[in-house]
Amino acid sequence: MKILDFRSDTVTLPTKEMLEAMTHAKLGDDVYGDDETINRLELLAAEKIGKEAALFVPSGTMGNLIAVMAHTTPGQEIILEESCHIYLYEVAGIARLAGVQARTIPGINGLPPLEAIKNAVRQENIHFPETGLISLESTHNMSGGMTLPLKEMASIYHFAKEKGIPVHLDGARLFNAAKHLQVEAKEITRYTDSVMFCLSKGLSAPVGSILAGTQDFIVKARKLRKMLGGGMRQAGVIAAAGIVALEGMVDRLAEDHVNALLLAKELNSIKGVSVDLEKVHSNIINVDFYETGFKAPGLASKMKDKGLLVNPRNDRVIRFVTHRGVGKEEVASAVEVVKEILKG
Ligand SMILES: *Cc1c(COP(=O)(O)O)cnc(C)c1O
């Protein structure tokens, strides 16, 4: 049985070129700053996203946690959209390890409205914690890969600057957002003080993420990474794949977006299945099976029996993610599997 894996873009395997680059990478002890390949990746990444400096980290989760720790002090409060990855899917690291309190705001397609952010920022009062950070996410996972509009990001950033509050972007899929907005990634990150993006998702590297910001921020971040156990020695062996990812895999994300829209349209045409096509911005789609009368987890397990792997979001919605491992043919096969199951 052929496996159709639509669970996540994290399942992408390294390319031949990546494996080749890994074999020949110039290595050293990165904790001493001696790994040429890591140094090259960090410079390249910083340059590509318009930040002074960058840091290679083992995962997006660690990158976000380090960002929160570097920007805040324990006992502060940080403002987050309520369905963001940092709040929902990072094991409460910000509470346990950064010691900050989350102040969540309901979003509209992943965007926390500026007015709500303004209301959430703390005034000086003996009873109140200080607001230490505003964190945004684009593309926004829970909303189905939607991109935050640049105009709104700019307004939030300008407000935050007035208040002296830093802004972090969880840009796990930053380059997908840039592709959708048809801008350079820099045009997004200019409205943030720090940004994390993943090399290990659609960009297909096996491991790793980048955290970027000012020189001073990255000095702090590097020390925090060491504290968290993320000082990785000859990690150029994986950073080599990251360089190939950044140099060669960004443009191909467009294919994933085309395939996601194709899948969305095909599924949407099945009776009882609905996808809001207006909301398909990138490589993630939220598919609502409510009208079919089936529960999403049950459907997902039937799909698995037929080789189609997906992640249910809740009782009615299943998430499908496109990536380098699933092309037009796999999209067509996935649609067939769904049709077969619904036919009973
Ligand atoms: C995947 C993801 C992360 C975390 O990345 P890991 O490398 O899996 O730890 C953070 N934020 C968002 C939006 C993600 O999709």
Side-chain angles (χ1 to χ4, degrees), residues 166-184:
V167 176
H168 173 66
L169 177 67
D170 176 350
R173 298 184 179 84
L174 172 67
F175 291 97
N176 296 85
K179 192 62 74 187
H180 173 71
L181 294 170
Q182 297 185 299
V183 297
E184 295 281 329

Side-chain angles (χ1 to χ4, degrees), residues 43 51-54 193 212-222:
L43 279 176
K51 294 291 177 203
E52 281 176 23
D193 296 288
T214 64
Q215 205 64 257
D216 286 350
F217 171 83
I218 291 300
V219 168
K220 264 184 160 176
R222 195 175 292 280

Side-chain angles (χ1 to χ4, degrees), residues 212-262:
T214 64
Q215 205 64 257
D216 286 350
F217 171 83
I218 291 300
V219 168
K220 264 184 160 176
R222 195 175 292 280
K223 187 149 181 169
L224 288 164
R225 183 186 68 174
K226 190 77 184 82
M227 185 185 81
L228 295 169
M232 294 186 294
R233 311 301 176 185
Q234 287 78 36
V237 75
I238 47 178
I243 292 172
V244 176
L246 267 185
E247 286 181 337
M249 305 299 281
V250 170
D251 284 338
R252 66 150 304 288
L253 294 175
E255 274 172 54
D256 298 345
H257 296 192
V258 168
N259 289 334
L261 187 59
L262 177 68

Side-chain angles (χ1 to χ4, degrees), residues 47 109 310 315:
E47 194 273 323
N109 299 326
V310 292
D315 260 11

Side-chain angles (χ1 to χ4, degrees), residues 81-328:
E81 187 278 326
E82 70 181 5
S83 65
C84 73
H85 196 280
I86 293 182
Y87 185 63
L88 290 186
Y89 294 113
E90 299 185 9
V91 210
I94 57 163
R96 182 167 178 173
L97 300 164
V100 297
Q101 167 165 289
R103 179 81 176 270
T104 58
I105 291 179
I108 299 162
N109 299 326
L111 176 77
L114 178 59
E115 280 312 305
I117 292 176
K118 285 184 176 171
N119 289 332
V121 168
R122 299 288 193 160
Q123 307 298 322
E124 176 46 39
N125 181 305
I126 195 166
H127 303 90
F128 292 168
E130 287 168 10
T131 301
L133 179 67
I134 297 167
S135 180
L136 303 174
E137 182 178 312
S138 187
T139 64
H140 186 266
N141 179 2
M142 277 304 272
S143 67
M146 293 183 76
T147 301
L148 301 188
L150 282 181
K151 199 166 145 269
E152 309 295 336
M153 282 189 68
S155 312
I156 292 170
Y157 186 63
H158 293 134
F159 165 73
K161 288 303 96 180
E162 267 170 40
K163 292 281 172 188
I165 303 169
V167 176
H168 173 66
L169 177 67
D170 176 350
R173 298 184 179 84
L174 172 67
F175 291 97
N176 296 85
K179 192 62 74 187
H180 173 71
L181 294 170
Q182 297 185 299
V183 297
E184 295 281 329
K186 288 178 198 188
E187 297 303 313
I188 301 175
T189 56
R190 61 191 283 210
Y191 302 120
T192 71
D193 296 288
S194 60
V195 57
M196 183 284 291
F197 72 85
C198 295
L199 295 160
S200 58
K201 293 189 169 167
L203 298 181
S204 303
V207 181
S209 293
I210 294 288
L211 177 62
T214 64
Q215 205 64 257
D216 286 350
F217 171 83
I218 291 300
V219 168
K220 264 184 160 176
R222 195 175 292 280
K223 187 149 181 169
L224 288 164
R225 183 186 68 174
K226 190 77 184 82
M227 185 185 81
L228 295 169
M232 294 186 294
R233 311 301 176 185
Q234 287 78 36
V237 75
I238 47 178
I243 292 172
V244 176
L246 267 185
E247 286 181 337
M249 305 299 281
V250 170
D251 284 338
R252 66 150 304 288
L253 294 175
E255 274 172 54
D256 298 345
H257 296 192
V258 168
N259 289 334
L261 187 59
L262 177 68
L263 178 62
K265 283 180 178 162
E266 294 281 331
L267 291 175
N268 195 47
S269 72
I270 301 172
K271 190 168 179 289
V273 181
S274 81
V275 187
D276 188 338
L277 299 179
E278 293 285 304
K279 294 189 174 190
V280 181
H281 285 186
S282 60
N283 68 328
I284 303 178
I285 62 174
N286 284 339
V287 187
D288 191 338
F289 288 90
Y290 181 71
E291 299 284 336
T292 66
F294 289 97
K295 291 260 195 290
L299 271 179
S301 95
K302 285 185 188 180
M303 291 177 195
K304 188 176 178 191
D305 292 342
K306 292 184 181 291
L308 171 58
L309 308 182
V310 292
N311 279 321
R313 289 259 196 218
N314 51 41
D315 260 11
R316 56 190 281 176
V317 175
I318 295 178
R319 179 182 90 156
F320 288 71
V321 183
T322 55
H323 53 80
R324 207 181 99 246
V326 286
K328 296 232 166 359

Side-chain angles (χ1 to χ4, degrees), residues 14-36:
T15 63
K16 274 208 187 80
E17 201 188 344
M18 286 178 187
L19 295 171
E20 189 71 21
M22 291 167 82
T23 308
H24 301 293
K26 290 220 167 60
L27 304 176
D29 189 331
D30 181 51
V31 174
Y32 291 103
D34 288 349
D35 192 293
E36 279 182 43

